Every structure is written in structure tokens, then in C-alpha cells.
Amino acid sequence: MERDITKKYTNGEITIVWKPSTCIHSTLCWKGSTGLPEVFNPQLKPWIMPEGANTDKVIEHVKKCPSGALSFYYNNEVEGSTQVSAETKIEAAVNGPLLVYGNVLIKDSKGTEIRKNNVTALCRCGKSDNKPFCDGSHVKHNFEG
């Protein structure tokens, strides 16, 4: 059974979109020097509080999400219309997913087309329950590559 949960959190100016099934739990959003714990705190409910920092800082941190589980749109725009204007880049994360940066159209094994912007994490270990996307299974299976 495929879980396709989407949660949205707004500060009035932007809406942060979180897709848990896409999350690879990199912790970049909340932990260490890369994190923004005043907005992203997994020990609280809700764990995303977009009013915790100014909009530009929130956007900066959402864009760091390596899986694309976190995205955003301006409330005065149509969701999903924000595209990246950078060249497409593909990078193999050490012991992790294949990261595709840029605008891509992906067709899954059932023929469903999915348009992704910014960063998309594709499974390299073969263990994901959300193929072709990474779901973080590489960690519990000690994938090396």
C-alpha cells in the first residue's frame, strides 16, 4: 500500500509542503549548523512552524532538502509552479540516493508521470518502498556505494 500523505504549513506569505514518504531523514532541515530548529523541530507537533523565522530564511532552508520532501510555494502563486532555472545536475550521495537537481519529469513503473522541481532523490540501494524515489531504506540496510 502506497502512502501519499502531504502536509502543508503556512506563515501567510508562503506555504511549506512536506511529503513524508519522500523524506530520507537527512536532518539538514533541523539539526546542526545546517538546521533551522526554530522552524523545523521533530520533537514538537506540528514539527514545522513557518512563522519561526523570516520567509527568506525559511525558503533558504527548504531549498536545502536533498530529497525534495520539503518544498514551498508563495501563497499568491499556484502550487508546484515554482521551477528552478539552473542546469540539471545529477549527483550520487555517498552511501545514499542519486540526487537530481533541476526540473525533471519522471515516469514510474506504472506509467504515472511526476514532475519534480529543485531536488529529487532517487533510490540507488534497491530497498525503497517508494521506488523510484528514495525513502531512506539505504540507512537500515547499510547500503554502501
Side-chain angles (χ1 to χ4, degrees):
M1 174 187 242
E2 186 177 312
R3 296 183 337 203
D4 193 19
I5 298 168
T6 299
K7 299 204 175 203
K8 298 179 182 182
Y9 308 86
T10 187
N11 68 1
E13 187 175 359
I14 63 166
T15 297
I16 298 172
V17 180
W18 179 50
K19 296 187 176 192
S21 64
T22 306
C23 186
I24 61 172
H25 308 290
S26 70
T27 70
L28 292 176
C29 56
W30 63 273
K31 195 174 187 182
S33 63
T34 62
L36 188 61
E38 55 270 32
V39 174
F40 306 99
N41 187 336
Q43 296 184 350
L44 299 176
K45 299 275 187 217
W47 81 279
I48 298 175
M49 297 159 290
E51 63 282 352
N54 72 51
T55 296
D56 290 338
K57 196 167 191 174
V58 173
I59 290 171
E60 175 187 334
H61 279 75
V62 167
K63 286 182 175 181
K64 291 178 184 178
C65 179
S67 67
L70 290 172
S71 62
F72 78 95
Y73 60 89
Y74 289 95
N75 291 351
N76 62 355
E77 294 179 354
V78 177
E79 180 180 356
S81 66
T82 305
Q83 289 198 347
V84 178
S85 61
E87 180 178 8
T88 301
K89 174 181 155 186
I90 301 172
E91 173 184 343
V94 176
N95 301 330
L98 190 64
L99 301 173
V100 181
Y101 299 87
N103 305 312
V104 294
L105 180 64
I106 299 168
K107 186 183 274 190
D108 69 15
S109 61
K110 296 174 185 151
T112 305
E113 290 186 347
I114 304 158
R115 186 168 301 280
K116 301 287 273 181
N117 303 316
N118 209 1
V119 184
T120 305
L122 300 175
C123 178
R124 279 201 310 146
C125 74
K127 303 293 185 185
S128 175
D129 288 329
N130 192 31
K131 289 181 191 82
F133 304 104
C134 175
D135 68 357
S137 293
H138 57 275
V139 174
K140 65 183 170 193
H141 291 281
N142 298 314
F143 174 73
E144 291 183 14

